[in-house]
Amino acid sequence: MGIFSRATEIVNSNLNALLDKAENPEKMVRLIIQEMEETLVEVRTTSARAIADRKTLARRQASFEKDAAEWERKAELAIRKDRDDLARGALAERARAEAAAEALAKESGALEETLAKLNGDMETLQAKLKDAKARQNAIVMRGEAARGRLDIRRQLSDHSVDDAMLRFEQYESRIDDLEGQVESYDVGQKTLAAEIDSLEGDEQVDEELRRLKERVQHDEQSRDDG
């Protein structure tokens, strides 16, 4: 079942009110646009048919007017020939042709009014359709943004505090590994310096040992000389 039943309802509709009442604005505006487009096609078809009818009426009216003029001419000819009986018959035919032409003129006038209303309805429908499509874009964008925010909130709620702490501990562990690598490099550098210091220490010990040996030898020599 459609939202609207006649083009007049669409023309007089309040799009804001319809969307405000809708539980699903995206679906509602999509349906409204679909029905507006279908109605616009119907109105255009009706208008095209009315234009064709107007042309047909114009041709028939012109034909009857031509007939009336022809019967007028024949009536005049009958009078000139002193045939009043034929003249009366011709005038009667002229009257019938004029009446038919007048009826067609009235019908054509009513059709013109219908066409004017159809054209007005088409302009209004096109404006409302354009508005509805603009609203649809805005509603879709708002819906996508809302769904995006909802997805983020769901993702955040799906991860517990323990999960967050676990990830934090994993990051800490990675940092600890990096710091350990740095420290191992520093340790290597300190070991090299320590080895050099050790060599310098060995030289001092050797020097002390040499002096001590010289002193002992000197003392023993002194005792032997005495």
Side-chain angles (χ1 to χ4, degrees):
M1 183 177 180
I3 302 166
F4 310 106
S5 60
R6 297 183 305 276
T8 305
E9 290 187 5
I10 299 179
V11 171
N12 297 327
S13 65
N14 187 326
L15 188 57
N16 288 332
L18 288 172
L19 294 177
D20 288 342
K21 296 176 182 178
E23 295 182 3
N24 187 337
E26 288 184 59
K27 181 179 180 182
M28 174 61 78
V29 74
R30 188 167 61 250
L31 292 174
I32 288 173
I33 289 173
Q34 180 181 348
E35 190 160 355
M36 282 183 175
E37 289 176 338
E38 292 174 353
T39 304
L40 187 57
V41 170
E42 293 176 0
V43 172
R44 283 173 175 165
T45 301
T46 303
S47 178
R49 191 181 304 116
I51 291 173
D53 290 343
R54 181 180 61 184
K55 292 180 179 180
T56 301
L57 288 175
R59 284 195 301 269
R60 291 180 62 194
Q61 181 181 349
S63 177
F64 279 114
E65 289 174 349
K66 183 179 179 181
D67 287 346
E70 180 64 15
W71 284 115
E72 175 85 8
R73 186 189 66 80
K74 289 178 178 180
E76 291 176 357
L77 176 61
I79 290 173
R80 285 196 296 271
K81 298 296 184 178
D82 294 327
R83 293 293 304 271
D84 290 350
D85 56 330
L86 294 179
R88 280 194 291 269
L91 290 175
E93 291 297 331
R94 186 198 66 178
R96 281 193 288 271
E98 288 177 343
E102 185 178 352
L104 288 172
K106 290 181 180 179
E107 189 174 347
S108 182
L111 191 57
E112 287 290 347
E113 293 179 1
T114 300
L115 274 171
K117 186 176 186 310
L118 285 172
N119 289 333
D121 287 347
M122 278 194 292
E123 291 179 1
T124 304
L125 278 170
Q126 288 171 337
K128 283 186 173 288
L129 181 58
K130 182 179 179 180
D131 182 34
K133 288 182 175 180
R135 299 289 180 88
Q136 182 185 34
N137 292 334
I139 289 172
V140 169
M141 290 177 64
R142 285 171 53 194
E144 290 176 350
R147 283 191 291 272
R149 291 194 300 269
L150 182 59
D151 289 342
I152 292 174
R153 291 185 179 180
R154 284 175 176 171
Q155 291 175 8
L156 292 175
S157 64
D158 287 343
H159 298 297
S160 63
V161 176
D162 292 338
D163 292 337
M165 292 301 297
L166 177 60
R167 291 196 301 277
F168 182 73
E169 290 173 359
Q170 290 173 346
Y171 296 148
E172 282 189 327
S173 177
R174 290 174 60 187
I175 293 174
D176 290 342
D177 291 340
L178 291 174
E179 290 178 344
Q181 294 177 21
V182 173
E183 289 178 2
S184 67
Y185 177 78
D186 292 340
V187 167
Q189 295 294 327
K190 290 179 181 178
T191 300
L192 179 61
E195 289 179 357
I196 295 174
D197 291 341
S198 177
L199 291 176
E200 292 177 350
D202 290 343
E203 288 181 356
Q204 293 177 358
V205 171
D206 291 342
E207 180 65 24
E208 290 292 333
L209 180 59
R210 186 184 61 77
R211 285 198 296 270
L212 182 58
K213 284 182 178 181
E214 289 178 354
R215 191 179 65 188
V216 170
Q217 290 176 356
H218 183 271
D219 291 343
E220 287 180 351
Q221 186 177 359
S222 296
R223 282 196 298 275
D224 291 340
D225 292 341

